[in-house]
Amino acid sequence: MRLVTLNLLMCNSEECSGRNQALTLNPGEITPGTTQFNHDLTIRMLGKLDWLAFVNAALRLGHELPDNITEADHQNSELIQRIFDILFNVEIQTGELLCPNCNRTYPIEKGIPNMLPQDH
Amino acid sequence: MNLLKIARNIMNTKKKEATALKGLMKKMQKGKDHIMKNENFSQYFQDEPSADMFLLHYSDGQERDFSIIKSHLSSYGEIKNLVVIPGINYGFLTYSSIDSAISAYNSVNMPLNLLQFPSKPHQISLIYTPINVRELKIVQGCWCSLNVPVPGLNLEQEFITPEEEDFLANHIDELSWSPLTNRRVQQFGHDFLQENQPDIAIPEFFNFILDRLENELGIRFDQITATEYIPGDFIAPHLDAHSSFEDTIVCLSLNSPSSMNFRHPEGSEFNQFLPPRSILALTDEARYLWKHSVWNRKYDIFEGISIHRRRRISLTFRKVRNVRCECNFPSVCDRNEEKLIIEETKDLNPTSLEKDFVFDTYDKIASHFSHTRYKPWPKVDEFLKDQEPFSLILDIGCGNGKYLYDDPLCRIGTDRSFKMLEICAERGFSVFNADCLNVPIRSNSVDVAIEIAVIHHLSTSSKRIQAMKEILRVLVPNGQALIYVWAREQTERAFTDQDCFVPWHLNKVYENEEEDTKGEQSNDPDKVVYKRFYHVFKQGELESLAKEAKIDGWKFEIMKHYYDRSNWCVRLKKVKDEE
């Protein structure tokens, strides 16, 4: 799973329904990706990200990012490249996702987070 | 006339002839090139005379052209084969004797020997060939005969008179046709496409034919399907469900010849020629075991001569079955298929039906499925490529990820089956395991969603609506979705009920040896059968579902609905619900 996907995910427990509740990443095994940098794609993604959730997830992987991102930052090619790499060139193979609201955990195995309700 | 004038006339004629010859040579070369492009022989043409000849007719090969060509060529002798195909500028000609061939060759190829074609008078050309007409690629599969060796199949010619033929066709055309995807139909008596609908009375104009059939076959048929075939219309290979109708099924052809293909499960096949006004009765093996179909050709070849199809009305007479089928062909009989009765509830939790016959089945067949489902469907692909660059696309029910492949950065997939997702992850796609009724994706976050062949696996209408609502929720305002579900009205399969099982024949090499198989032994010893649950959609059902799905002031606008590859499809847009 890449961080772009994680950023779209939310807790889907009954308790968190309607909250768009972001999940906290506890990474296990991580592999690097080899995707070629794409500036326009990154800019387009910036508009879609839940930035705060992204900053938190990046921090879990040891990458520090600014709390805010402005139009002016779009010209900062070093920063944009870094954002691209965090979004697309980190493959989370194992680990878990934790919901800070209801405490539910979702395991990640073989690069796939399991978001199915656990009783089924 | 003085000599000078005569000489000038001769010269002019010669000049005209020379120009005509030059033009003809050029056209002939083009025709030859076309033949060599289409066919595959080591030697196509020869100079020494032969009874077999390529025919370059330089026309579009329609029926009116064919009759002009035929009447002209018949004047040179008895014709054994004559093939003229709509849309193909070459054909084939064989005379019974080589002498006729030579005289035709010498006369037809003479410059300025024009044939009066309706478009424009022009010349045709003949070329001697060592090839036999049966070897031609363009006509393969087009040969049909009157008496094919299928046990239980019986053709009777001129079962009705031309007057009776007109009478029936005119009365049927006065009633309204319902369009299917590849043809139009009318149902009388029991309507098996519309479950739980009262029977439609059989109009009185059919009485004489029902009486005649009863006299001849001892059966009073109570279900009639009229089908209109415009040249090129087709019906895919199928068996009429054993449990729906009794043994004998009769097909009466009106207004045009055609042919019907019969295929044995072990592979042998034959083309039965259907002259107009003939009846074809299928009993026993022909009715129960051999699949029949009409190919999408515009002509057939019967006794060596191509015959153009025209608009044909086919009348199928059946008798509705009220008792269990006891045929001797259990491998293809649906008598043991349990009728699924599904209770409509508001409960959205998976039922054992869905667990056993959707979730488990897809996990079981994942790798085999993946080997057979690698090609994106063109119309889905087109929809995805139509989106703005870098649109974020969510594929719900992504399977092996065939729609993630093109742009793995902006496309994210989810599926119920972990086994399917493993295939995606190995291919480098970003995916997550979830249920389409509870998609763990933030609201208003994806630009585009697709859900291809997914919703038909949900057993109740509340679940199907919930799946639509989830798509609506995750889309950004004005975001678009494309949904495909299996159509009940498809020509590839016949369904007796909307809720049903569809078998997946899994080769045993794909079975995991450590696990006990849950599949049933197939007729093929190398295969096991896994059943998949389907709710096949009626025309219009998907649109009403889309209209019903509303959430927090948002609804779907239906941008387009269509039929594609056995599926009903809708293209939707998330818009404000002003009501």
Side-chain angles (χ1 to χ4, degrees), chain A residues 2 5 7-10 12 20 35 38 40-41 44-45 48 50 88 109-110 112-116 120, chain B residues 349 389-390 392 408-410 412 416 421-422 425 428 430-435 438 440-443 447 473:
Chain A
R2 293 189 269 272
T5 309
N7 197 264
L8 289 170
L9 288 179
M10 63 169 195
N12 64 353
N20 287 328
T35 312
N38 184 327
D40 293 348
L41 165 65
R44 182 83 199 256
M45 285 299 155
K48 299 178 184 299
D50 174 344
F88 296 108
E109 282 170 53
K110 299 184 178 180
I112 305 160
N114 181 351
M115 310 297 291
L116 290 172
H120 296 300
Chain B
N349 288 315
F390 312 127
L392 205 49
L409 297 188
C410 296
I412 292 166
R416 208 22 166 114
L421 295 174
E422 281 180 25
S430 196
V431 292
F432 59 93
N433 196 193
D435 193 300
N438 188 4
I441 289 285
R442 285 189 274 123
S443 306
D447 299 311
R473 185 183 62 75

Side-chain angles (χ1 to χ4, degrees), chain A:
Chain A
M1 177 183 62
R2 293 189 269 272
L3 253 60
V4 63
T5 309
L6 171 62
N7 197 264
L8 289 170
L9 288 179
M10 63 169 195
C11 180
N12 64 353
S13 74
E14 220 171 295
E15 201 181 323
C16 295
S17 146
R19 289 178 60 106
N20 287 328
Q21 177 63 53
L23 299 162
T24 307
L25 172 68
N26 288 325
E29 188 201 336
I30 288 177
T31 54
T34 54
T35 312
Q36 280 265 309
F37 173 60
N38 184 327
H39 182 268
D40 293 348
L41 165 65
T42 319
I43 300 300
R44 182 83 199 256
M45 285 299 155
L46 285 179
K48 299 178 184 299
L49 289 179
D50 174 344
W51 182 253
L52 198 64
F54 178 60
V55 170
N56 285 335
L59 201 60
R60 291 271 167 174
L61 296 165
H63 302 282
E64 241 178 286
L65 287 170
D67 288 344
N68 291 301
I69 193 136
T70 61
E71 286 273 332
D73 291 325
H74 292 188
Q75 305 312 316
N76 181 345
S77 53
E78 184 268 338
L79 177 64
I80 299 299
Q81 165 96 51
R82 221 149 56 81
I83 293 171
F84 177 87
D85 282 335
I86 301 170
L87 275 175
F88 296 108
N89 274 330
V90 178
E91 296 280 356
I92 299 151
Q93 301 294 353
T94 63
E96 65 175 14
L97 301 173
L98 170 75
C99 174
N101 183 54
C102 72
N103 286 324
R104 232 196 97 172
T105 58
Y106 301 89
I108 306 170
E109 282 170 53
K110 299 184 178 180
I112 305 160
N114 181 351
M115 310 297 291
L116 290 172
Q118 272 140 4
D119 48 333
H120 296 300

Side-chain angles (χ1 to χ4, degrees), chain B residues 176-417:
Chain B
S176 85
W177 290 97
S178 321
L180 289 187
T181 47
N182 308 310
R183 58 214 138 84
R184 295 196 302 170
V185 296
Q186 295 185 37
Q187 305 278 359
F188 307 102
H190 180 65
D191 183 352
F192 54 91
L193 283 180
Q194 304 286 324
E195 210 60 30
N196 307 322
Q197 290 293 311
D199 289 357
I200 305 154
I202 294 180
E204 277 181 17
F205 65 81
F206 279 120
N207 283 353
F208 81 94
I209 190 90
L210 288 171
D211 291 345
R212 195 173 301 169
L213 287 167
E214 189 175 2
N215 276 338
E216 190 123 337
L217 301 164
I219 301 166
R220 186 75 189 182
F221 292 103
D222 55 10
Q223 203 282 332
I224 303 175
T225 304
T227 312
E228 176 197 50
Y229 290 94
I230 304 293
D233 284 355
F234 67 96
I235 185 162
H238 67 282
L239 272 176
D240 290 42
H242 292 197
S243 59
S244 308
F245 305 106
E246 287 193 3
D247 187 356
T248 301
I249 292 175
V250 168
C251 167
L252 171 65
S253 295
L254 307 179
N255 293 353
S256 167
S258 185
S259 76
M260 192 176 269
N261 176 276
F262 285 84
R263 189 192 289 171
H264 191 272
E266 275 161 21
S268 46
E269 53 182 295
F270 301 100
N271 290 328
Q272 168 71 49
F273 184 57
L274 303 174
R277 298 179 296 283
S278 68
I279 56 161
L280 183 72
L282 309 181
T283 51
D284 200 41
E285 209 177 302
R287 183 261 181 268
Y288 287 128
L289 188 64
W290 293 66
K291 282 191 176 174
H292 54 276
S293 56
V294 174
W295 292 123
N296 58 346
R297 284 196 306 265
K298 295 183 174 167
Y299 70 101
D300 298 285
I301 299 178
F302 175 61
E303 293 180 338
I305 311 290
S306 56
I307 298 180
H308 288 68
R309 290 185 189 173
R310 302 174 186 175
R311 176 177 181 264
R312 166 174 166 259
I313 296 174
S314 157
L315 295 177
T316 310
F317 297 86
R318 305 179 177 96
K319 186 158 168 57
V320 174
R321 181 189 289 281
N322 293 315
V323 293
R324 196 179 127 102
C325 180
E326 297 291 351
C327 72
N328 296 322
F329 310 96
S331 63
V332 290
C333 188
D334 58 345
R335 63 189 168 217
N336 292 328
E337 275 173 26
E338 58 247 82
K339 204 176 159 83
L340 276 171
I341 295 162
I342 290 167
E343 209 183 318
E344 185 60 50
T345 74
K346 294 264 172 276
D347 185 359
L348 298 179
N349 288 315
T351 58
S352 59
L353 179 79
E354 287 157 339
K355 283 186 204 167
D356 292 349
F357 298 109
V358 182
F359 307 165
D360 284 0
T361 301
Y362 276 101
D363 271 347
K364 272 284 182 193
I365 67 175
S367 61
H368 181 222
F369 182 89
S370 180
H371 285 145
T372 60
R373 300 286 194 280
Y374 48 87
K375 250 194 182 157
W377 287 349
K379 284 205 167 164
V380 179
D381 213 28
E382 203 176 287
F383 168 80
L384 293 172
K385 290 197 169 123
D386 236 21
Q387 304 301 328
E388 271 181 52
F390 312 127
S391 291
L392 205 49
I393 295 172
L394 179 66
D395 183 353
I396 305 174
C398 64
N400 61 347
K402 69 174 174 179
Y403 296 113
L404 305 176
Y405 181 81
D406 252 359
D407 186 1
L409 297 188
C410 296
R411 298 185 188 177
I412 292 166
T414 178
D415 204 282
R416 208 22 166 114
S417 164

